[in-house]
Amino acid sequence: MTDIEKIMPGIMKTISFVSREEDEAFKKVVPSLIRKGIDSANLDMFNEVTKKALLNAVGVEYFKKGIIDQAIKAFTITGNKQKLAEIGDYYANVGLFGQAVDVYILAENKEKLIATGDKCLREGHISEAIKAFINAGEREKLSKVGDECVEKQKTDFAIEIFAALNEVKKLIKLGDLCFKNGELREAAKAFKLSDDLDKLNMIGDTYLKEDSLPEALFVYEQAGNEAMIKFIKENFANEIERVVRR
């Protein structure tokens, strides 16, 4: 049993290997490369075909040992999208969706990104679903998820989605809703991403009325309101400093 199978039983069934001929040719070289490390090894004496085959063999060996980050690095260097996707498959199968999405992105595998995004959505992993759909270019699915997030009051996710889609009207509408509900931080974020400086200044004014001076200053800075920035700094510097020290 390999080291990785002790940690993750069955993993070796999910990944393909180098050919028997390559395995025989590299079995003496690969252990040395593993000890040296990919970043430190000098392979300039080999042609590009041999170099690529060596690194693929090293990637498989790293995978066997459970050193998956180095396996991913090796397969990324060689552009081996098949093996990257296979690693992504394993991560997805054991519920490590964030890692699966990251590897599928490296593999440029749109189909698997969409499938994983759908699964994440079904199982409540909203952040991972968003990332998968963004990188798969699935605007329609993203927009639908964004609307559902608004309905379920998952405001931060909705803002992230509408910003990624450049849905300015939806960002402003969501910002208005947040302002109405007293969610000033979220409202400010939505108005900033929609580049609605008038409404952003409105949030700053609200913070100022509430004597939330650090928050007001931050929002005015986001809005580029030099007059109000100067007003707060010159008149309330001591108050802001006391709040920051708490």
Side-chain angles (χ1 to χ4, degrees), residues 30-238:
V30 168
S32 299
L33 285 175
I34 295 287
R35 287 193 296 272
K36 183 73 173 177
I38 294 174
D39 294 328
S40 303
N42 183 356
L43 303 178
D44 290 344
M45 66 290 302
F46 300 112
N47 62 39
E48 287 303 313
V49 173
T50 304
K51 209 183 289 187
K52 190 172 181 178
L54 270 171
L55 286 171
N56 279 327
V58 168
V60 170
E61 194 61 30
Y62 271 131
F63 194 82
K64 287 181 184 179
K65 294 178 179 295
I67 310 173
I68 300 181
D69 62 325
Q70 293 299 307
I72 291 170
K73 182 183 288 187
F75 296 144
T76 301
I77 291 171
T78 64
N80 196 328
K81 296 178 182 178
Q82 178 186 338
K83 284 191 169 63
L84 285 171
E86 288 169 0
I87 292 176
D89 290 344
Y90 180 77
Y91 278 140
N93 288 336
V94 297
L96 297 173
F97 297 116
Q99 291 93 321
V101 170
D102 288 339
V103 181
Y104 288 146
I105 291 170
L106 291 173
E108 298 179 351
N109 196 313
K110 180 178 177 179
E111 181 182 343
K112 289 182 182 293
L113 280 169
I114 293 171
T116 303
D118 287 337
K119 187 174 183 180
C120 287
L121 205 55
R122 289 193 300 271
E123 298 187 11
H125 302 282
I126 306 298
S127 181
E128 291 84 352
I130 292 171
K131 189 173 185 180
F133 290 147
I134 287 175
N135 283 278
E138 279 291 300
R139 292 184 61 87
E140 187 176 339
K141 284 181 181 286
L142 270 174
S143 186
K144 184 178 178 181
V145 173
D147 292 338
E148 290 177 0
C149 286
V150 173
E151 291 176 8
K152 295 176 181 178
Q153 298 183 326
K154 297 181 182 294
T155 307
D156 285 331
F157 287 136
I159 291 173
E160 181 184 350
I161 290 170
F162 295 148
L165 294 172
N166 197 28
E167 293 273 10
V168 174
K169 289 182 180 179
K170 286 189 176 183
L171 279 170
I172 293 173
K173 184 178 180 180
L174 181 55
D176 288 338
L177 179 63
C178 290
F179 181 71
K180 180 181 178 181
N181 293 335
E183 300 170 336
L184 298 184
R185 182 189 68 83
E186 291 81 1
K189 185 176 180 181
F191 292 144
K192 172 62 178 175
L193 289 169
S194 63
D195 202 30
D196 193 325
L197 301 186
D198 289 337
K199 292 194 174 185
L200 197 55
N201 277 308
M202 178 183 70
I203 301 296
D205 295 343
T206 303
Y207 275 130
L208 189 61
K209 289 175 185 177
E210 295 177 352
D211 287 329
S212 300
L213 296 171
E215 290 82 1
L217 177 60
F218 176 77
V219 173
Y220 286 137
E221 286 174 340
Q222 293 280 296
N225 191 331
E226 296 298 332
M228 292 308 296
I229 293 169
K230 187 174 182 181
F231 171 75
I232 292 176
K233 286 185 174 180
E234 292 192 1
N235 290 283
F236 303 104
N238 292 335

Side-chain angles (χ1 to χ4, degrees), residues 7-27:
I7 304 169
M8 303 175 179
I11 190 172
M12 297 314 298
K13 296 178 182 178
T14 69
I15 191 159
S16 59
F17 296 94
V18 293
S19 68
R20 182 182 299 275
E21 292 78 11
E22 288 173 329
D23 186 51
E24 288 299 320
F26 299 150
K27 68 170 51 174

